[in-house]
């Protein structure tokens, strides 16, 4: 039947017979997955899912799960599961599926190819099954193992009978139950027998009335057809239309080849048989006895081979006609003549082969040509009728299946259809016939022309459309996964009712057709048994249709319920009629993940006494387990209303849990106010920068307390100069800084801590102001106000001023020479004829060479020699001494080749010594640095007062943009603070909202850490007034006056500032707080800028998360070794289970997927990487830090580690000693990688795992060579892995799980990162001192291209590119052309994705450009030489 069968033991044990009506039949039974991956047998089963558009869905439909609700209800300590299937092909298929779905589980496939029948010792069997959790075999192998006591049923937890209808009569499946299960159950009770899971689409094998009852008795079970999940039955079960094709009975043979073959066979002389000849020549008692036995029966090898050939040729003729019989005979003879290895005749001697060739050479065979098939006389009426059917039913995307009786007939029919003019262009045919893995089946005979070598690809080709018609024997009736067919034809009549049911079940497509071809003699009624069977088939078909019609009638009933749920605060309302739509809408907004079905899953239960229905609904695993599942509270006649009831109750629970708002909408719909990331303009207008001199100006208005600081300048030659600075306020610490006079001379400036000085006496401040004026006038005379001396900062020589007149004023140069001609510390020389332009005195001179070209500026004529002159250097024009001037090296006051010679009579000399005049050059720069410190200190004492940052230099760095060109800028601290903010936010949110899924958490985190929010915080707190973005140049510098500062204090001025800068400074201050005082000060900083959150420390939050993990469960059995691999033993195992649970896995209703832990682990990983990079002894630039982090936390690198990190496990293998024929065990080591432990329920996940590992294997050595010893990061090779996101997600979720389990111990997380290779590569990067090239190829190509535009043109390979004539077709790959400035540089193909091929193309393009640059340099050197 096409519906499921559910069995409940009359003795209390519960068993299940499950149908095969799913679109994908090779699905791992969910009970097995639950047992092996930690599902709780006491809970109702939940099943993971996939999006509707994907294949490989592991969530069976609800009506298919009905039979699972009562199976395995009690907990089972799994020792071993034995999976049984009737055929080797089916065993191979199920083995492959189990391995792909549960790669960490040890699975063993036992077949005749392993020579199991010769394993004769208990030790051998024990070794083979050691640590094996799932065994797959045919029934016979298990029966033999039980019979010889190598295996006992007590050691098994679960027996899975695939195609359980075989459990009848003397079939090995029934013998297992009859000879071992039932006696054990009778003698020792149900606690000592394994659970039974039966899977069948048709629990009856023949039309016997007691067929169903027999199976029930054999399985100790009661079969029931489900009568619930009606909507899905109506939606998914498509009954094919039944058609009978009656064909004439075959006539007698009139084919020349067949008649000739039959004639040759009849005329054979048995005495000429090689075996008879050998026996007669032997002439022993034994040989004579053997002769007497075989001669009457004509039973020799050659006779059997020729008889089989005749029989099959006759069958081919009767089924297909003359052409097919001639083709078959000719082909068989040709294969015998061939010396190829394709024909192996078991036990055939050369004499027998030669004899067969001699006999068959007498057969008259004419070569048949496909062109003759147009003549209907060459084909049988049955075949002609069949071809008419195929042509008539041929439609686009056709998929058909033909069942035929004999293997050779399948081969002949497939060939015939491939050459027949009416079918060869419509159908791509393939065969699929039964096989055996037994070593005794390796031989073949002359009558067998079927080739099995290409058969392994037949079903895959059929699924992907490369083949659209399969000719098969009964092997495809059951078990084997095959796509739904539009047409199923029984070319040979079904032998029994079971075959009819199973063959009909293959026609599952919409509007499909099931065709029975019957001979006229069968139709007329020559065989009463067949007539009875035919009537039974028709009755079953009509019964199914009536059941579906009745189901539709019941579901059309109208039922009502007036329950309402009203939110008082808003008036929002849901009813039973609207709840289902609301629930689907809620699920549609859950975080999307590949291979995950976000739809709610309903299961319904029908009361067998009242026929009333109740429903339960389960949401995807990303929803918190406390509200993931709810049942309706009423009973209903229709499934429709039962589902509405369950949806209504669940949606109310979602609202009470806070997962939908008071408008009864999902929280993500509040994007306009709650979760929205604020929009921000790129630039905003903010008040002007704080001027810290204004408060000092106000201090001068009273009688201030003065503080003296010594400014110490130390030259490159260690010469020193001291100057006293007096301020009316305590000066904060000013970081030491450099003053760059020129390339060769640099001064280090140190502002020493201030000391309090006594209040000055009357007039002393005026002297200090006058001294300051003298200093400033020496350089900035033209920029100063006449007679204004109200400076907010006063300078004076440390040795005291004394007589101010000795410092002020000037004297004639000639007088200076006359008073002290040997003095070398004259002040600036000023040319009276040049607007008193200052010069640096070099030397006095009397004898001036004429070639110097000394000119009197007034007379414009050459000066007579021997007149007193001054050699002097012009003063530098630059006024910015805070930054090196790479263009000028001429500012040396003592040594300068660019001098001028001035007449002493035209010059005056300042009284202020040269050293103090030189100091005056630096006053603007010194005051600027003091201003920066004053502003930072004001920020520390106001906005940041709660944080109490001790190191003022951190604040200075944090408020300085790179455009300000200070000694430090905020980029490194911003890089650190960004990671800390995200870390604190992630831990805070995941602890504060324990029932929020990853989608809500990500949205809230994005809103919290968004630049727009941080920029607003900077403006709201006034931080923007402290941010420095303009660079100091000194060009427009003017002396500060108290009067001007007081006027400025009342002015409102604005400046434009980037919102990105505003946000960066907030993050930089968070980083500064962390450096100064760890998380304690970070939290205080966060409370200032993000006060809407009640912040707790990460340690506090991690402890709350740990306490919230209350579920106590042991690790699944197949997790053995995982903790050893990770290097961490979990106290709360549930955290590790969740960390390894893909969102598609939903068996356990109280176990979440890894998404929340991955959300946390991502931030923890980033934090650990950033803090270690930031703290490196060799301070890295912001760019270097960013590149290092990107190399370590990108998804491809983490996926690589997930595929590489492994633990060794030992597996027993069996080896046969060829010389003795005995077997012995050999232990081999196998690697079990992290990814193999991930729990999932989707075939697409398994496929993605396999494909990723296949891509990784050939690239592994190159990638690891690059990582361990290469000097360039292997971006392109890593991208070529094209790994799925779940590989990296698992690594991050493990980190998150360790963090929670260890109560926020970062060292435990670091130990895991060290173990899998993250930290070792980080150390290599840091130890390389920047020599490892980390820049992504696309970014590097952009730099090399400079102003030229870089274009990536991506397309698909052509057919010629993607395949060759001798290679199998494959999915087309991507190609990429790189154009730079319109010129094509490279073209790269073979890409698995657009991103991968672009990365590879960029990498090659970089190589091309670098080669061109090297060639250009070489040509330049050659031309210069």
């Amino acid at each position: 039947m096409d519906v499921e069968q559910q069995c409940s033991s009359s003795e209390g044990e519960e068993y299940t017979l499950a149908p095969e009506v799913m679109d994908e039949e090779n699905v791992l039974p969910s009970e097995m997955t639950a047992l092996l991956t930690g599902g709780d047998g006491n809970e109702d089963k939940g099943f993971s899912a996939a999006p509707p558009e994907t294949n490989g869905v592991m969530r069976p439909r609800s009506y298919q799960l009905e039979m699972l609700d009562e199976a395995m209800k009690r907990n089972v300590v799994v020792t071993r599961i034995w999976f049984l299937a009737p055929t080797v092909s089916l065993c191979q298929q199920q083995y492959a599926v189990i391995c792909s779905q549960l790669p960490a589980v040890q699975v063993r496939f036992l077949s005749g190819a392993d020579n199991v029948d010769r394993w004769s010792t208990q030790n051998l069997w024990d070794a083979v099954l050691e640590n094996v959790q799932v065994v797959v075999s045919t029934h016979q192998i298990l029966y033999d193992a039980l019979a010889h006591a190598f295996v006992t049923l007590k050691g098994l937890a679960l027996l899975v009978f695939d195609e359980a209808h075989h459990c009848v009569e003397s079939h090995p499946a029934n013998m297992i139950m009859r000879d071992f299960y039932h006696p054990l159950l009778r003698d020792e009770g149900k606690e000592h027998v394994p659970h039974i899971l039966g899977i069948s689409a048709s629990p009856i094998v023949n039309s016997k009335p007691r067929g169903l009852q027999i199976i029930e008795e054999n399985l100790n079970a009661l079969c029931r057809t489900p009568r619930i999940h009606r909507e899905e039955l109506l939606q998914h079960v498509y009954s094919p239309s039944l058609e009978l094709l009656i064909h004439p009975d075959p006539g007698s043979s009139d084919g020349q080849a067949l008649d000739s073959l039959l004639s040759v066979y009849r005329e054979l002389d048995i005495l000429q048989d090689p075996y008879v000849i050998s026996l007669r020549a032997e002439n022993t008692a034994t040989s004579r006895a053997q002769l007497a036995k075989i001669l009457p029966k004509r039973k020799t090898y050659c006779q059997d081979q020729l008889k089989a050939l005749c029989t099959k040729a006759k069958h081919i003729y009767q089924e297909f006609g003359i052409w097919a019989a001639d083709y078959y005979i000719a082909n068989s003879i040709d294969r015998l003549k061939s010396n190829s290895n394709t024909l192996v005749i078991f036990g055939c001697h050369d004499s027998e082969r030669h004899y067969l060739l001699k006999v068959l050479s007498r057969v008259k065979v004419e070569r048949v040509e496909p062109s003759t098939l147009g003549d209907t006389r060459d084909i049988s009426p049955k075949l002609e009728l069949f071809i008419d059917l195929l042509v008539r039913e041929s439609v686009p995307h056709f998929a058909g299946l033909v069942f035929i009786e004999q293997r050779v007939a399948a081969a002949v029919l497939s060939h015939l259809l491939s050459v027949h003019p009416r079918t060869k262009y419509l159908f791509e045919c393939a065969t699929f016939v039964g096989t055996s893995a037994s070593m005794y089946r390796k031989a073949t005979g002359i009558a067998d022309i079927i080739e099995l070598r290409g058969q392994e690809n037949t079903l895959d080709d059929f699924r992907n459309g490369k083949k659209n018609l399969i000719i098969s024997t009964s092997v495809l009736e059951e078990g084997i996964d095959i796509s739904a067919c539009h047409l199923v034809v029984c070319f040979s009549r079904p032998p029994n009712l079971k075959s009819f049911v199973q063959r009909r079940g293959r026609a599952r497509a919409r509007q499909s057709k099931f065709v029975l071809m019957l001979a006229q003699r069968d139709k007329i009624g020559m065989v009463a048994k067949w007539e009875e069977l035919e009537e039974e088939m028709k009755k079953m078909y009509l019964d199914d249709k009536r059941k579906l019609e009745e189901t539709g009638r019941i579901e059309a009933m109208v039922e009502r319920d007036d329950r309402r749920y009203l939110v008082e605060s808003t008036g929002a309302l849901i009813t039973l009629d609207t709840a289902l739509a609301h629930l689907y809408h809620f699920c549609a907004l859950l975080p999307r993940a590949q291979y995950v079905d976000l739809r709610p899953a309903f299961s319904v239960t029908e009361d067998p006494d009242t026929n009333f229905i109740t429903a339960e609904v389960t949401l995807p695993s990303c929803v918190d387990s406390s509200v993931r599942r709810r049942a309706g509270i009423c009973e209903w006649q229709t499934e429709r209303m039962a589902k509405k009831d369950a949806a209504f109750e669940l949606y109310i629970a979602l609202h009470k849990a806070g997962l939908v708002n008071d408008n009864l909408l999902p929280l993500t719909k509040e994007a306009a106010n709650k979760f929205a990331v604020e929009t921000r303009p790129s630039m905003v207008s903010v008040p002007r920068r704080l001027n810290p001199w204004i408060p000092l100006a106000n201090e001068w208005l009273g009688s201030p307390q003065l503080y003296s600081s010594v400014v110490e300048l130390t030259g490159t030659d260690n010469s020193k100069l001291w100057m006293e600075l007096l301020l009316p306020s305590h000066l904060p610490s000013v970081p030491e800084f450099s003053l760059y006079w020129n390339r060769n001379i640099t001064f280090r400036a140190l502002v020493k801590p201030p000391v309090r000085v006594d209040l000055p006496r009357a007039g002393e401040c005026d002297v200090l102001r006058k001294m300051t004026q003298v200093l400033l006038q020496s350089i900035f005379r033209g920029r100063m106000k006449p007679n204004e001396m109200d400076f907010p900062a006063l300078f004076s020589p440390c040795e005291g001023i004394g007589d101010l007149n000795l410092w002020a004023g000037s004297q004639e140069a000639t007088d200076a020479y006359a008073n002290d001609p040997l003095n070398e510390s004259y002040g600036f020389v000023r040319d009276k004829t040049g607007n008193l332009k200052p010069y640096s005195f070099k030397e006095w001179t009397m004898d001036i060479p004429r070639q110097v070209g000394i000119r009197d500026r007034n007379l414009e004529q050459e000066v007579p020699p021997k007149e007193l002159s001054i050699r002097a250097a012009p003063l530098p024009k630059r006024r910015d001494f805070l930054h090196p001037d790479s263009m000028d090296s001429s500012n040396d006051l003592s040594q300068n080749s660019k001098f001028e010679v001035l007449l002493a009579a035209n010059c005056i000399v300042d009284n202020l010594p040269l050293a103090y005049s030189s100091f005056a050059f630096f006053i603007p720069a010194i005051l600027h640095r003091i201003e920066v410190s004053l502003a930072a200190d004001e920020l520390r004492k106001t906005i940041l007062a709660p944080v109490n940052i001790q190191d003022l230099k951190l604040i200075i760095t944090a408020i300085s943009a790179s455009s300000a060109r200070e000694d430090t800028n905020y980029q490194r601290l911003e890089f650190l603070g960004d990671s800390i903010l995200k870390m604190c936010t992630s831990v805070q949110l995941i602890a504060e909202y324990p029932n929020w899924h990853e989608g809500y958490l990500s949205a809230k985190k994005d809103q919290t850490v968004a630049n727009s929010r941080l920029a607003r915080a900077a403006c709201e707190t006034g931080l923007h007034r402290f941010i420095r973005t303009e660079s100091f140049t000194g060009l427009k510098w003017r002396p500060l006056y108290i009067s001007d500062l007081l006027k400025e204090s009342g002015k409102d001025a604005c400046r434009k500032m980037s919102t990105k800068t505003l946000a960066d400074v907030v993050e930089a201050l968070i980083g500064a707080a962390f450096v100064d005082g760890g998380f304690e000060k970070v939290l205080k900083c966060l409370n200032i800028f993000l006060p809407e959150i009640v912040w707790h420390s990460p340690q506090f939050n991690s402890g709350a998360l740990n306490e919230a993990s209350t579920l106590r469960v042991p690790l699944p059995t197949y997790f053995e070794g995982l903790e050893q691999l990770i290097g961490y033993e979990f106290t709360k195992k549930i955290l590790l289970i969740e960390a390894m649970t893909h969102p598609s896995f939903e068996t356990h209703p109280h176990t979440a997927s890894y998404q929340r832990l991955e959300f946390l682990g991502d931030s923890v990983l980033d934090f650990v990487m950033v803090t270690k990079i930031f703290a490196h002894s060799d301070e890295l630039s912001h760019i270097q830090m960013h590149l290092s982090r990107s190399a370590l936390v990108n998804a491809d690198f983490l996926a690589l580690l997930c595929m590489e990190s492994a633990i060794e496990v030992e597996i027993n293998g069996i080896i046969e000693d060829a010389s003795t024929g005995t077997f012995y065990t050999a232990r081999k080591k196998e690697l079990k990688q992290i990814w193999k432990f991930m729990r999932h329920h989707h075939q697409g996940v398994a496929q993605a795992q396999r494909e990723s590992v296949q891509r990784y294997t050939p690239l592994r050595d190159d990638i690891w060579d690059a990582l361990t010893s290469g000097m360039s990061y292997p971006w392109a090779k890593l991208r070529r892995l094209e790994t799925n996101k779940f590989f990296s997600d698992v690594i991050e979720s493990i980190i998150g799980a360790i963090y929670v389990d260890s109560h926020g111990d970062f060292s435990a997380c670091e130990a895991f990162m060290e173990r899998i290779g993250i930290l070792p590569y980080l150390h290599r990067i840091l130890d390389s001192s920047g020599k490892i090239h980390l820049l992504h190829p696309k970014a590097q190509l952009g730099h090399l291209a400079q102003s030229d535009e870089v274009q990536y043109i991506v397309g698909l390979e052509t057919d010629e590119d993607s395949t060759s004539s001798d290679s199998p077709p494959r999915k087309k790959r991507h190609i990429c052309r790189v154009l730079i400035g319109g010129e094509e540089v490279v073209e790269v193909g073979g890409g698995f994705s657009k991103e991968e091929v672009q990365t590879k193309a960029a990498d090659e393009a970089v190589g091309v450009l670098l080669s061109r640059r090297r060639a250009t340099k070489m040509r330049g050197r050659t031309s210069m030489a």
Side-chain angles (χ1 to χ4, degrees), residues 136-207:
V136 181
S137 77
T138 59
H139 305 89
Q140 187 66 52
I141 286 179
L142 176 59
Y143 181 85
D144 291 342
L146 290 169
H148 295 292
F150 296 134
V151 175
T152 65
L153 287 183
K154 288 184 178 181
L156 303 181
L158 175 67
L159 271 178
V160 181
F161 287 85
D162 199 3
E163 307 300 337
H165 50 265
H166 287 284
C167 194
V168 293
E169 299 177 350
S170 59
H171 192 280
N174 188 42
M175 293 168 65
I176 292 172
M177 299 297 294
R178 183 193 65 196
D179 298 345
F180 299 99
Y181 178 89
H182 287 286
L184 184 61
L185 176 65
R186 181 182 62 250
D187 296 341
E188 301 192 29
K190 62 183 181 181
E191 297 298 328
H192 297 279
V193 294
H195 289 270
I196 303 294
L197 171 63
I199 307 174
S200 179
S202 50
I204 46 178
V205 179
N206 52 44
S207 59

Side-chain angles (χ1 to χ4, degrees), residues 564-684:
R564 301 159 25 111
Y565 182 75
L566 179 69
V567 181
E568 295 293 340
S569 61
T570 62
L573 173 73
I574 61 168
T575 66
L576 262 69
D577 288 332
T578 62
L580 201 57
H582 275 74
L583 189 61
Y584 272 95
H585 180 61
F586 174 85
C587 291
L589 295 178
L590 293 174
R592 294 188 175 276
Q594 193 175 13
Y595 312 117
V596 178
D597 190 347
L598 298 179
R599 296 170 298 176
F602 290 90
S603 61
V604 294
T605 304
E606 183 175 357
D607 188 313
D609 298 325
T610 65
N611 292 333
F612 279 107
I613 294 171
T614 57
E616 185 177 65
V617 60
T618 303
L619 299 185
S621 63
C622 62
V623 179
D624 186 67
S625 60
S626 64
V627 290
R628 188 184 304 165
R629 176 178 292 186
R630 284 294 185 275
I633 62 175
C634 297
E635 293 182 331
W636 304 89
Q637 289 183 282
T638 64
E639 281 186 17
R640 184 182 68 259
M641 288 303 296
K643 291 180 179 179
K644 289 182 178 181
D645 189 3
F648 181 78
E649 294 299 321
L650 181 53
Y651 209 79
I652 292 174
L654 291 174
H655 176 252
K656 292 180 178 179
L659 296 179
V660 296
N661 62 18
D662 286 344
N663 298 105
L664 297 178
L665 292 173
L667 296 187
T668 49
K669 297 303 290 183
E670 299 180 348
N673 48 30
K674 186 170 183 178
F675 280 173
V677 174
E678 302 173 30
T679 58
R680 64 178 179 92
S682 59
M683 302 292 291
V684 292

